[in-house]
Each structure stands twice: as C-alpha cells, then as structure tokens.
Amino acid sequence: MSPTFASSATPLGVSPYAEKTLGDRIDDAIAEARAITDEKGVESRESAVAWDIVEELLSASAHRREKLPKNAFEVYCSEHPEAQEARMYDV
C-alpha cells in the first residue's frame, strides 16, 4: 500500500496539480494571487511571489502554444498562400 496525504487520496510524490490542465492552474493561481493581494496588500512580498507564479504559468502556456504542431488548415495555408482561405485581411 502506498503512503498518501492525510487530507487526500493523492500518493506522496505526485503533485496535486497533476490532474489539472495548465489553464485551470492559471485560473487557480490568479484567484490565489488576488486573494493574497487583498489580504496582504499590493506591495507585500507574498503578493509579489503569487503574481510571479501567475506570470511563470502564463509564460509556460505561451511557450506550449509555440510548440504545438500546425493543424491541417494551417499546413494547407502555408502550402497554398495564394488560396482564398489563406488570405488575411486587416480590419
């Protein structure tokens, strides 16, 4: 039998965030940072750390998007830039 935390069924050594998506983790971090800022103040060290965590998660999300492979439509557009579907207009 593997050891577990007293308050949950998560095995030791496994992050409780393992099941959450990055988007969920970002939402949770923002909510926590807002709560800490409200409690401790905008210029507190705890608030700065909480918002640094949010920034790191947002950065990880941006880097993950950069690494995603192109979908079929993006491949088509890059192979056929003259196609009507590939045209982009500034509005």
Side-chain angles (χ1 to χ4, degrees):
M1 187 164 155
S2 67
T4 59
F5 293 110
S7 62
S8 71
T10 305
L12 288 175
V14 175
S15 171
Y17 299 108
E19 301 87 29
K20 290 188 176 185
T21 65
L22 185 55
D24 292 337
R25 291 175 59 194
I26 291 170
D27 292 341
D28 292 346
I30 290 172
E32 185 175 349
R34 286 181 178 157
I36 290 171
T37 300
D38 289 343
E39 181 182 330
K40 303 283 184 174
V42 176
E43 295 183 11
S44 71
R45 182 179 180 105
E46 294 88 351
S47 177
V49 170
W51 287 108
D52 282 344
I53 292 170
V54 170
E55 186 177 342
E56 290 294 325
L57 290 170
L58 290 172
S59 177
S61 175
H63 289 286
R64 182 177 285 178
R65 273 185 263 136
E66 290 175 1
K67 294 179 184 178
L68 290 178
K70 292 183 177 181
N71 62 31
F73 179 71
E74 292 170 333
V75 170
Y76 173 81
C77 289
S78 64
E79 291 175 356
H80 306 284
E82 72 285 348
Q84 186 173 4
E85 295 87 356
R87 295 183 185 166
M88 297 198 185
Y89 299 97
D90 290 332
V91 286

